[in-house]
Amino acid sequence: MHKKWKGYFTIEATFILPIILFLYLLIISAALFLYCRCAISQNNFLLAMRAARFTQGEDYYGEIIYGNTKDGSWQAEDYVKERLTQIENHYPFYPARGGECKVDEGYALVETGQRSSKLLITKKVQRLNPVEMVRKGRKEQNV
C-alpha cells in the first residue's frame, strides 16, 4: 500500500517548480525593464536641462560648460545627439534606441525610445536663464 504514494511529491514538484521559476524570472525581467526606463528618463531630463541652458554665445551663460569653442558649434541638438549615441548601449538589458532633441524659444524637448517598448520617453524642460532672472529680480526689488 505504501508503494502507491512514493512518487506523489516528485510529480507535483515537476509541475510546480518550473512555474515558480518562470514567475521569478518574470519579476526580475520587469524590475530590470523599469530600472532601465527610469535611468533613461533621468538621462533625458538632464540632457533636456542642458539643452535648455545652451546659448549662442551672446549672453555668456552656458557656453563654458556645454559649448565647444574649438569648433564654434553652439547647437544644443548636436550636443544631445552626441551624448545619446555615446550612451545608447549603456543600459544593460533594455538599451535606449534612437533619440531626438528639439529646442525652440521656450522649451527643450528630448525623446528617446527603449528596446521592447513602443512608448517614447519624453522630457520637456522650460528654457530659463538664471542670469536674466537675477537681473530682473534685482530691478523689481530696486523699484
Side-chain angles (χ1 to χ4, degrees):
M1 184 150 175
H2 284 25
K3 292 191 178 202
K4 267 174 108 178
W5 301 97
K6 284 285 188 185
Y8 180 70
F9 292 114
T10 307
I11 292 173
E12 276 187 2
T14 59
F15 291 121
I16 294 174
L17 190 63
I19 293 171
I20 291 173
L21 286 176
F22 176 74
L23 290 175
Y24 278 143
L25 289 175
L26 187 67
I27 290 170
I28 290 170
S29 177
L32 287 172
F33 177 79
L34 290 176
Y35 166 75
C36 290
R37 189 157 184 90
C38 288
I40 293 169
S41 178
Q42 177 187 6
N43 188 47
N44 281 359
F45 177 76
L46 291 173
L47 287 175
M49 193 171 70
R50 289 177 184 169
R53 301 311 186 262
F54 257 80
T55 64
Q56 298 297 324
E58 70 272 358
D59 59 356
Y60 303 106
Y61 174 72
E63 63 270 10
I64 296 171
I65 300 170
Y66 305 119
N68 189 354
T69 55
K70 292 178 185 173
D71 300 337
S73 65
W74 301 97
Q75 299 301 319
E77 292 88 354
D78 297 337
Y79 170 77
V80 172
K81 287 266 190 199
E82 178 186 332
R83 293 292 298 154
L84 286 173
T85 54
Q86 284 178 355
I87 60 173
E88 192 169 289
N89 291 319
H90 180 72
Y91 306 104
F93 295 102
Y94 300 100
R97 61 175 167 76
E100 188 175 341
C101 175
K102 298 174 191 170
V103 179
D104 60 7
E105 291 297 319
Y107 292 94
L109 176 84
V110 176
E111 291 180 333
T112 307
Q114 185 181 15
R115 191 182 76 190
S116 76
S117 177
K118 294 179 183 171
L119 298 174
L120 291 176
I121 302 169
T122 304
K123 292 295 172 187
K124 188 174 184 179
V125 176
Q126 187 177 7
R127 292 190 71 179
L128 299 173
N129 188 340
V131 174
E132 289 299 319
M133 291 171 65
V134 169
R135 286 180 186 159
K136 185 178 177 183
R138 286 182 179 168
K139 283 182 184 177
E140 290 173 0
Q141 191 178 27
N142 290 334
V143 172

